[in-house]
Amino acid sequence: MSDAELIEQIQKGNTHSFTFLVERYQRLVLHIVARMLTREEDVEDICQDVFVAVFRNLGRFRNESKLSTWIAQIAYNTTLNYLKKIEKDILLYDSPDEYIMPTNEEKLPDKIIETKELKNTLLQEIEKLPIQYRTVVTLFHIEQFSYKEIEEITEIKIGTIKSYLSRARHILKERLIFVLKD
Amino acid sequence: MKADKHIDNFINEVLEMPPTISLSADFSKKVESKIQNVFSWKSYLSQFALTIGVICLLLVTIGVMYYFIDSERILLTIEWLKEYKPLLILCTCTFIFVLFSNNVLLNYFFFLYKQDRKHYL
């Protein structure tokens, strides 16, 4: 069933179709919410809130954008509003413009041994990145959204998105080198 | 240069890894039950509008039909209604308010009461 048919069914009052929509997009919503939130225990509740918001606003959805982009936008805004409500201080600290870039320009190790542990370390480093970096990285690398779609979802300009992606990669690279040397 | 590329590939690989958290197996069922608790303003308001529409249509149909039977009485009734215009407006407003309360407000308050009970149970 296409997204348009699915929306039509939901608008006719078919709740089973909405369950189908939830199953189709829960992975996308989970990835966005889980990357943005630091408290794991809140993730499922916020994911539920996202889908309730999707249900409430489905009447306003115009086929100008893809359904996935629209749902991702709701997921991003719902999580951001939640964070603004409970973690004001963290958001201020997390401002990417104030983020200090590491300047480690030491020689790279010749070869890295890709252990599971190293991957986990890097994943933890991703969690430490500013929230905007984490979001942009998730949307671009995991969900494969284009720059234009990420701009639509986050209302961050394409130039800034590219800069966040590059800075995030640079930070991770520096951290990885640091860990390897350690 | 080779090591640099190797690190880049490794970072790419990690960046493409989704977060390790997963949702509960019955997540969609939970969402479904949550959605059933969303108050449907749209359906209650359309029910109210439909009731008003049916009543108006009935009054107009009866009025038109009666006009062909006894036009003089209908004209007299209109004159009488014009005479008691404020009273007529008051009665109509009261009637619409009662209908609105019955169709929308009562349902909404009942919904809030149920939500509140669920919260405390």
Side-chain angles (χ1 to χ4, degrees), chain A residues 6 10 17-31 33 43-58 67-68 70-72 74-75 78, chain B residues 23 27-32 34-35 38:
Chain A
L6 203 58
I10 298 164
S17 295
F18 191 74
T19 310
F20 192 64
L21 180 138
V22 173
E23 280 162 6
R24 188 179 284 181
Y25 289 105
Q26 67 182 37
R27 204 180 61 93
L28 163 73
V29 171
L30 172 69
H31 291 166
V33 175
V43 170
E44 183 148 337
D45 283 343
I46 300 300
C47 286
Q48 285 183 20
D49 289 348
V50 169
F51 282 109
V52 171
V54 167
F55 182 76
R56 279 179 193 269
N57 295 296
L58 210 58
L67 186 62
S68 58
W70 185 70
I71 291 177
I74 291 178
T78 307
Chain B
L23 293 170
F27 177 76
S28 56
K29 290 269 171 279
K30 282 182 191 169
V31 174
E32 200 181 325
K34 220 171 178 179
I35 272 157
V38 174

Short mmCIF file of all heavy atoms in Angstrom, two decimals, chain A residues 6 10 17-31 33 43-58 67-68 70-72 74-75 78, chain B residues 23 27-32 34-35 38:
data_model
loop_
_atom_site.label_atom_id
_atom_site.label_comp_id
_atom_site.label_asym_id
_atom_site.label_seq_id
_atom_site.Cartn_x
_atom_site.Cartn_y
_atom_site.Cartn_z
N LEU A 6 -2.50 4.89 2.21
CA LEU A 6 -2.49 4.69 3.66
C LEU A 6 -3.15 5.89 4.37
O LEU A 6 -4.02 5.72 5.23
CB LEU A 6 -1.04 4.54 4.13
CG LEU A 6 -0.78 3.82 5.43
CD1 LEU A 6 -1.33 2.41 5.39
CD2 LEU A 6 0.73 3.76 5.69
N ILE A 10 -6.58 6.07 6.66
CA ILE A 10 -6.59 6.58 8.05
C ILE A 10 -7.62 7.69 8.17
O ILE A 10 -8.37 7.74 9.15
CB ILE A 10 -5.18 7.09 8.46
CG1 ILE A 10 -4.18 5.93 8.43
CG2 ILE A 10 -5.21 7.70 9.85
CD1 ILE A 10 -2.72 6.36 8.43
N SER A 17 -5.06 0.86 9.66
CA SER A 17 -4.10 1.45 8.70
C SER A 17 -3.09 2.31 9.43
O SER A 17 -1.93 2.39 9.02
CB SER A 17 -4.83 2.33 7.68
OG SER A 17 -5.65 1.54 6.91
N PHE A 18 -3.54 2.96 10.51
CA PHE A 18 -2.59 3.78 11.27
C PHE A 18 -1.55 2.89 11.94
O PHE A 18 -0.37 3.25 11.99
CB PHE A 18 -3.31 4.66 12.30
CG PHE A 18 -2.39 5.69 12.90
CD1 PHE A 18 -2.00 6.80 12.16
CD2 PHE A 18 -1.86 5.52 14.16
CE1 PHE A 18 -1.11 7.72 12.67
CE2 PHE A 18 -0.97 6.44 14.68
CZ PHE A 18 -0.59 7.54 13.94
N THR A 19 -1.98 1.74 12.44
CA THR A 19 -1.03 0.79 13.04
C THR A 19 0.01 0.39 11.99
O THR A 19 1.20 0.28 12.29
CB THR A 19 -1.78 -0.46 13.54
OG1 THR A 19 -2.88 -0.03 14.33
CG2 THR A 19 -0.90 -1.37 14.36
N PHE A 20 -0.44 0.22 10.78
CA PHE A 20 0.44 -0.14 9.67
C PHE A 20 1.46 0.98 9.42
O PHE A 20 2.64 0.72 9.21
CB PHE A 20 -0.43 -0.40 8.43
CG PHE A 20 0.30 -1.05 7.31
CD1 PHE A 20 0.81 -2.33 7.44
CD2 PHE A 20 0.48 -0.39 6.10
CE1 PHE A 20 1.50 -2.93 6.39
CE2 PHE A 20 1.16 -0.98 5.05
CZ PHE A 20 1.67 -2.26 5.20
N LEU A 21 0.95 2.22 9.48
CA LEU A 21 1.84 3.39 9.28
C LEU A 21 2.89 3.45 10.41
O LEU A 21 4.06 3.71 10.16
CB LEU A 21 1.00 4.67 9.27
CG LEU A 21 1.75 5.98 9.08
CD1 LEU A 21 0.99 6.88 8.11
CD2 LEU A 21 1.95 6.73 10.36
N VAL A 22 2.44 3.16 11.63
CA VAL A 22 3.36 3.17 12.78
C VAL A 22 4.45 2.13 12.55
O VAL A 22 5.65 2.41 12.72
CB VAL A 22 2.61 2.88 14.10
CG1 VAL A 22 3.59 2.71 15.26
CG2 VAL A 22 1.63 4.00 14.41
N GLU A 23 4.04 0.94 12.13
CA GLU A 23 5.03 -0.12 11.91
C GLU A 23 6.01 0.25 10.79
O GLU A 23 7.19 -0.08 10.85
CB GLU A 23 4.33 -1.44 11.58
CG GLU A 23 3.83 -2.10 12.86
CD GLU A 23 2.78 -3.16 12.64
OE1 GLU A 23 2.50 -3.49 11.47
OE2 GLU A 23 2.22 -3.64 13.64
N ARG A 24 5.51 0.98 9.80
CA ARG A 24 6.37 1.36 8.67
C ARG A 24 7.40 2.41 9.06
O ARG A 24 8.52 2.40 8.57
CB ARG A 24 5.49 1.88 7.52
CG ARG A 24 6.27 2.12 6.26
CD ARG A 24 5.40 2.62 5.13
NE ARG A 24 4.60 1.57 4.52
CZ ARG A 24 3.78 1.78 3.49
NH1 ARG A 24 3.65 2.98 2.99
NH2 ARG A 24 3.08 0.80 2.98
N TYR A 25 7.00 3.34 9.93
CA TYR A 25 7.89 4.47 10.22
C TYR A 25 8.48 4.48 11.64
O TYR A 25 9.15 5.44 12.01
CB TYR A 25 7.16 5.79 9.95
CG TYR A 25 6.96 6.01 8.46
CD1 TYR A 25 5.71 5.84 7.88
CD2 TYR A 25 8.04 6.34 7.65
CE1 TYR A 25 5.53 6.00 6.51
CE2 TYR A 25 7.87 6.51 6.29
CZ TYR A 25 6.61 6.35 5.72
OH TYR A 25 6.45 6.50 4.38
N GLN A 26 8.24 3.45 12.42
CA GLN A 26 8.71 3.48 13.81
C GLN A 26 10.25 3.47 13.90
O GLN A 26 10.83 4.06 14.80
CB GLN A 26 8.09 2.37 14.67
CG GLN A 26 8.48 0.97 14.31
CD GLN A 26 7.75 -0.04 15.21
OE1 GLN A 26 6.59 0.14 15.57
NE2 GLN A 26 8.43 -1.11 15.55
N ARG A 27 10.89 2.82 12.93
CA ARG A 27 12.35 2.75 12.92
C ARG A 27 12.95 4.16 12.69
O ARG A 27 13.86 4.58 13.39
CB ARG A 27 12.79 1.81 11.80
CG ARG A 27 14.15 1.19 11.99
CD ARG A 27 14.45 0.29 10.81
NE ARG A 27 14.47 1.06 9.56
CZ ARG A 27 15.55 1.58 9.03
NH1 ARG A 27 16.71 1.38 9.60
NH2 ARG A 27 15.50 2.28 7.92
N LEU A 28 12.35 4.87 11.73
CA LEU A 28 12.80 6.24 11.43
C LEU A 28 12.67 7.14 12.66
O LEU A 28 13.60 7.85 13.05
CB LEU A 28 11.98 6.80 10.26
CG LEU A 28 11.99 8.30 10.03
CD1 LEU A 28 13.33 8.74 9.46
CD2 LEU A 28 10.88 8.73 9.07
N VAL A 29 11.48 7.08 13.28
CA VAL A 29 11.21 7.91 14.45
C VAL A 29 12.15 7.53 15.60
O VAL A 29 12.74 8.39 16.26
CB VAL A 29 9.72 7.78 14.87
CG1 VAL A 29 9.47 8.45 16.21
CG2 VAL A 29 8.82 8.37 13.81
N LEU A 30 12.33 6.24 15.80
CA LEU A 30 13.22 5.77 16.88
C LEU A 30 14.65 6.30 16.69
O LEU A 30 15.26 6.78 17.64
CB LEU A 30 13.23 4.24 16.92
CG LEU A 30 14.26 3.62 17.86
CD1 LEU A 30 13.89 3.88 19.32
CD2 LEU A 30 14.40 2.13 17.63
N HIS A 31 15.14 6.23 15.46
CA HIS A 31 16.51 6.68 15.22
C HIS A 31 16.69 8.16 15.54
O HIS A 31 17.66 8.56 16.16
CB HIS A 31 16.91 6.40 13.76
CG HIS A 31 17.06 4.95 13.47
ND1 HIS A 31 17.15 4.45 12.20
CD2 HIS A 31 17.14 3.88 14.30
CE1 HIS A 31 17.26 3.14 12.26
NE2 HIS A 31 17.25 2.77 13.50
N VAL A 33 14.69 10.13 17.48
CA VAL A 33 14.45 10.40 18.91
C VAL A 33 15.61 9.87 19.77
O VAL A 33 16.11 10.58 20.64
CB VAL A 33 13.09 9.79 19.36
CG1 VAL A 33 12.89 9.96 20.85
CG2 VAL A 33 11.95 10.44 18.60
N VAL A 43 12.74 7.55 25.63
CA VAL A 43 12.67 7.38 24.17
C VAL A 43 11.31 6.83 23.71
O VAL A 43 10.67 7.39 22.82
CB VAL A 43 13.84 6.48 23.67
CG1 VAL A 43 13.64 6.08 22.22
CG2 VAL A 43 15.15 7.21 23.82
N GLU A 44 10.86 5.76 24.34
CA GLU A 44 9.61 5.14 23.87
C GLU A 44 8.41 6.08 24.04
O GLU A 44 7.55 6.18 23.16
CB GLU A 44 9.37 3.80 24.58
CG GLU A 44 8.12 3.11 24.06
CD GLU A 44 8.17 1.61 24.08
OE1 GLU A 44 9.25 1.03 24.08
OE2 GLU A 44 7.08 1.02 24.07
N ASP A 45 8.37 6.79 25.18
CA ASP A 45 7.27 7.73 25.42
C ASP A 45 7.25 8.82 24.36
O ASP A 45 6.18 9.17 23.84
CB ASP A 45 7.42 8.39 26.80
CG ASP A 45 7.00 7.44 27.91
OD1 ASP A 45 6.31 6.45 27.60
OD2 ASP A 45 7.40 7.67 29.07
N ILE A 46 8.42 9.35 24.03
CA ILE A 46 8.47 10.42 23.03
C ILE A 46 8.10 9.87 21.65
O ILE A 46 7.39 10.54 20.89
CB ILE A 46 9.87 11.10 23.01
CG1 ILE A 46 10.20 11.71 24.37
CG2 ILE A 46 9.97 12.17 21.93
CD1 ILE A 46 9.24 12.77 24.87
N CYS A 47 8.53 8.64 21.36
CA CYS A 47 8.15 8.03 20.08
C CYS A 47 6.61 7.91 19.98
O CYS A 47 6.02 8.17 18.94
CB CYS A 47 8.78 6.65 19.93
SG CYS A 47 10.53 6.72 19.57
N GLN A 48 6.00 7.55 21.10
CA GLN A 48 4.53 7.46 21.11
C GLN A 48 3.91 8.84 20.88
O GLN A 48 2.97 8.98 20.09
CB GLN A 48 4.06 6.91 22.46
CG GLN A 48 4.27 5.41 22.61
CD GLN A 48 3.72 4.89 23.91
OE1 GLN A 48 2.88 5.49 24.55
NE2 GLN A 48 4.21 3.74 24.33
N ASP A 49 4.47 9.85 21.55
CA ASP A 49 3.97 11.22 21.38
C ASP A 49 4.09 11.67 19.92
O ASP A 49 3.23 12.39 19.42
CB ASP A 49 4.74 12.20 22.28
CG ASP A 49 4.39 12.00 23.75
OD1 ASP A 49 3.42 11.28 24.03
OD2 ASP A 49 5.11 12.54 24.62
N VAL A 50 5.18 11.26 19.28
CA VAL A 50 5.39 11.64 17.87
C VAL A 50 4.24 11.08 17.03
O VAL A 50 3.64 11.80 16.22
CB VAL A 50 6.75 11.11 17.35
CG1 VAL A 50 6.86 11.25 15.85
CG2 VAL A 50 7.90 11.83 18.03
N PHE A 51 3.91 9.81 17.23
CA PHE A 51 2.85 9.21 16.41
C PHE A 51 1.47 9.77 16.74
O PHE A 51 0.62 9.86 15.86
CB PHE A 51 2.89 7.69 16.52
CG PHE A 51 3.98 7.09 15.67
CD1 PHE A 51 5.11 6.53 16.24
CD2 PHE A 51 3.90 7.15 14.29
CE1 PHE A 51 6.13 6.02 15.45
CE2 PHE A 51 4.92 6.64 13.49
CZ PHE A 51 6.03 6.07 14.08
N VAL A 52 1.27 10.17 18.01
CA VAL A 52 0.00 10.81 18.35
C VAL A 52 -0.08 12.15 17.61
O VAL A 52 -1.13 12.49 17.05
CB VAL A 52 -0.15 11.00 19.89
CG1 VAL A 52 -1.36 11.86 20.22
CG2 VAL A 52 -0.27 9.64 20.58
N ALA A 53 1.03 12.87 17.58
CA ALA A 53 1.07 14.15 16.84
C ALA A 53 0.85 13.93 15.35
O ALA A 53 0.16 14.71 14.69
CB ALA A 53 2.40 14.85 17.09
N VAL A 54 1.42 12.85 14.82
CA VAL A 54 1.22 12.52 13.40
C VAL A 54 -0.28 12.29 13.15
O VAL A 54 -0.84 12.82 12.20
CB VAL A 54 2.04 11.26 13.01
CG1 VAL A 54 1.61 10.72 11.65
CG2 VAL A 54 3.53 11.58 12.99
N PHE A 55 -0.90 11.54 14.04
CA PHE A 55 -2.33 11.22 13.89
C PHE A 55 -3.18 12.50 13.94
O PHE A 55 -4.08 12.69 13.14
CB PHE A 55 -2.75 10.25 15.01
CG PHE A 55 -4.18 9.83 14.93
CD1 PHE A 55 -4.58 8.90 13.98
CD2 PHE A 55 -5.13 10.35 15.78
CE1 PHE A 55 -5.91 8.50 13.90
CE2 PHE A 55 -6.46 9.96 15.70
CZ PHE A 55 -6.84 9.03 14.76
N ARG A 56 -2.86 13.37 14.92
CA ARG A 56 -3.63 14.61 15.08
C ARG A 56 -3.49 15.52 13.86
O ARG A 56 -4.42 16.22 13.50
CB ARG A 56 -3.11 15.39 16.29
CG ARG A 56 -3.63 14.91 17.62
CD ARG A 56 -3.00 15.79 18.69
NE ARG A 56 -3.17 15.27 20.02
CZ ARG A 56 -4.19 15.58 20.81
NH1 ARG A 56 -5.12 16.37 20.38
NH2 ARG A 56 -4.27 15.07 22.02
N ASN A 57 -2.30 15.54 13.25
CA ASN A 57 -2.03 16.50 12.17
C ASN A 57 -2.14 15.92 10.77
O ASN A 57 -1.83 16.60 9.80
CB ASN A 57 -0.64 17.11 12.37
CG ASN A 57 -0.57 17.94 13.62
OD1 ASN A 57 -1.24 18.96 13.74
ND2 ASN A 57 0.20 17.49 14.60
N LEU A 58 -2.54 14.68 10.68
CA LEU A 58 -2.57 14.01 9.37
C LEU A 58 -3.46 14.75 8.36
O LEU A 58 -3.17 14.77 7.17
CB LEU A 58 -3.04 12.57 9.54
CG LEU A 58 -2.50 11.57 8.53
CD1 LEU A 58 -0.98 11.54 8.55
CD2 LEU A 58 -3.04 10.19 8.80
N LEU A 67 6.09 11.57 2.93
CA LEU A 67 5.54 11.31 4.25
C LEU A 67 6.67 11.11 5.27
O LEU A 67 6.58 11.57 6.40
CB LEU A 67 4.62 10.07 4.21
CG LEU A 67 3.86 9.76 5.49
CD1 LEU A 67 2.91 10.88 5.89
CD2 LEU A 67 3.08 8.47 5.38
N SER A 68 7.74 10.43 4.83
CA SER A 68 8.86 10.18 5.74
C SER A 68 9.49 11.50 6.21
O SER A 68 9.81 11.65 7.38
CB SER A 68 9.91 9.31 5.05
OG SER A 68 10.36 9.93 3.89
N TRP A 70 7.96 14.41 6.41
CA TRP A 70 6.98 15.07 7.29
C TRP A 70 7.00 14.44 8.69
O TRP A 70 7.01 15.14 9.70
CB TRP A 70 5.60 14.95 6.64
CG TRP A 70 4.52 15.68 7.36
CD1 TRP A 70 4.36 17.04 7.45
CD2 TRP A 70 3.45 15.11 8.09
NE1 TRP A 70 3.26 17.33 8.19
CE2 TRP A 70 2.67 16.17 8.59
CE3 TRP A 70 3.05 13.80 8.37
CZ2 TRP A 70 1.53 15.97 9.36
CZ3 TRP A 70 1.92 13.59 9.12
CH2 TRP A 70 1.16 14.65 9.62
N ILE A 71 7.06 13.10 8.74
CA ILE A 71 7.09 12.40 10.02
C ILE A 71 8.41 12.71 10.75
O ILE A 71 8.41 12.96 11.96
CB ILE A 71 6.88 10.87 9.84
CG1 ILE A 71 5.44 10.62 9.38
CG2 ILE A 71 7.17 10.11 11.12
CD1 ILE A 71 5.10 9.18 9.08
N ALA A 72 9.50 12.74 10.00
CA ALA A 72 10.81 13.06 10.60
C ALA A 72 10.79 14.47 11.18
O ALA A 72 11.35 14.71 12.25
CB ALA A 72 11.90 12.94 9.55
N ILE A 74 8.16 16.03 12.37
CA ILE A 74 7.38 15.98 13.62
C ILE A 74 8.23 15.36 14.74
O ILE A 74 8.24 15.84 15.87
CB ILE A 74 6.06 15.19 13.41
CG1 ILE A 74 5.14 16.01 12.49
CG2 ILE A 74 5.36 14.91 14.74
CD1 ILE A 74 3.82 15.35 12.16
N ALA A 75 8.96 14.30 14.41
CA ALA A 75 9.81 13.64 15.41
C ALA A 75 10.86 14.61 15.93
O ALA A 75 11.09 14.70 17.14
CB ALA A 75 10.47 12.41 14.79
N THR A 78 9.06 17.43 18.04
CA THR A 78 8.53 16.91 19.31
C THR A 78 9.67 16.70 20.30
O THR A 78 9.57 17.08 21.47
CB THR A 78 7.78 15.58 19.08
OG1 THR A 78 6.81 15.77 18.05
CG2 THR A 78 7.08 15.09 20.32
N LEU B 23 12.50 -0.38 20.37
CA LEU B 23 11.16 -0.15 20.94
C LEU B 23 10.57 -1.49 21.36
O LEU B 23 10.99 -2.54 20.87
CB LEU B 23 10.26 0.51 19.90
CG LEU B 23 10.63 1.93 19.49
CD1 LEU B 23 9.81 2.36 18.29
CD2 LEU B 23 10.42 2.91 20.64
N PHE B 27 4.80 -1.95 20.51
CA PHE B 27 4.80 -0.48 20.39
C PHE B 27 3.59 0.04 19.59
O PHE B 27 2.90 0.95 20.04
CB PHE B 27 6.11 0.00 19.75
CG PHE B 27 6.16 1.48 19.53
CD1 PHE B 27 6.37 2.35 20.58
CD2 PHE B 27 5.95 2.03 18.26
CE1 PHE B 27 6.40 3.72 20.38
CE2 PHE B 27 5.97 3.39 18.06
CZ PHE B 27 6.21 4.25 19.12
N SER B 28 3.34 -0.58 18.44
CA SER B 28 2.23 -0.08 17.59
C SER B 28 0.88 -0.24 18.30
O SER B 28 0.00 0.60 18.16
CB SER B 28 2.22 -0.77 16.24
OG SER B 28 2.16 -2.15 16.41
N LYS B 29 0.75 -1.29 19.10
CA LYS B 29 -0.51 -1.50 19.86
C LYS B 29 -0.66 -0.40 20.90
O LYS B 29 -1.76 0.12 21.12
CB LYS B 29 -0.48 -2.87 20.55
CG LYS B 29 -0.58 -4.04 19.59
CD LYS B 29 -2.04 -4.46 19.37
CE LYS B 29 -2.17 -5.47 18.26
NZ LYS B 29 -2.16 -4.91 16.91
N LYS B 30 0.47 -0.05 21.54
CA LYS B 30 0.43 1.02 22.55
C LYS B 30 0.00 2.34 21.92
O LYS B 30 -0.80 3.08 22.48
CB LYS B 30 1.82 1.18 23.19
CG LYS B 30 2.14 0.12 24.22
CD LYS B 30 3.52 0.43 24.81
CE LYS B 30 4.02 -0.72 25.64
NZ LYS B 30 5.44 -0.56 26.00
N VAL B 31 0.56 2.62 20.73
CA VAL B 31 0.21 3.86 20.03
C VAL B 31 -1.27 3.84 19.66
O VAL B 31 -1.98 4.83 19.84
CB VAL B 31 1.09 4.05 18.77
CG1 VAL B 31 0.64 5.26 17.97
CG2 VAL B 31 2.55 4.22 19.14
N GLU B 32 -1.74 2.68 19.20
CA GLU B 32 -3.15 2.54 18.81
C GLU B 32 -4.08 2.87 19.99
O GLU B 32 -5.05 3.60 19.84
CB GLU B 32 -3.40 1.13 18.29
CG GLU B 32 -4.65 1.02 17.43
CD GLU B 32 -4.90 -0.38 16.94
OE1 GLU B 32 -3.93 -1.11 16.66
OE2 GLU B 32 -6.09 -0.75 16.84
N LYS B 34 -3.34 4.65 22.57
CA LYS B 34 -3.17 6.06 22.93
C LYS B 34 -4.01 6.95 22.00
O LYS B 34 -4.57 7.95 22.42
CB LYS B 34 -1.69 6.45 22.82
CG LYS B 34 -1.24 7.37 23.94
CD LYS B 34 0.23 7.54 23.94
CE LYS B 34 0.64 8.49 25.05
NZ LYS B 34 2.07 8.70 25.13
N ILE B 35 -4.08 6.53 20.75
CA ILE B 35 -4.82 7.31 19.76
C ILE B 35 -6.32 7.25 20.01
O ILE B 35 -7.04 8.22 19.80
CB ILE B 35 -4.42 6.84 18.35
CG1 ILE B 35 -3.20 7.63 17.93
CG2 ILE B 35 -5.52 7.01 17.32
CD1 ILE B 35 -2.39 6.99 16.91
N VAL B 38 -7.49 10.04 22.04
CA VAL B 38 -7.42 11.41 21.53
C VAL B 38 -8.85 11.89 21.27
O VAL B 38 -9.61 11.20 20.59
CB VAL B 38 -6.59 11.48 20.22
CG1 VAL B 38 -6.63 12.87 19.61
CG2 VAL B 38 -5.16 11.08 20.50
#
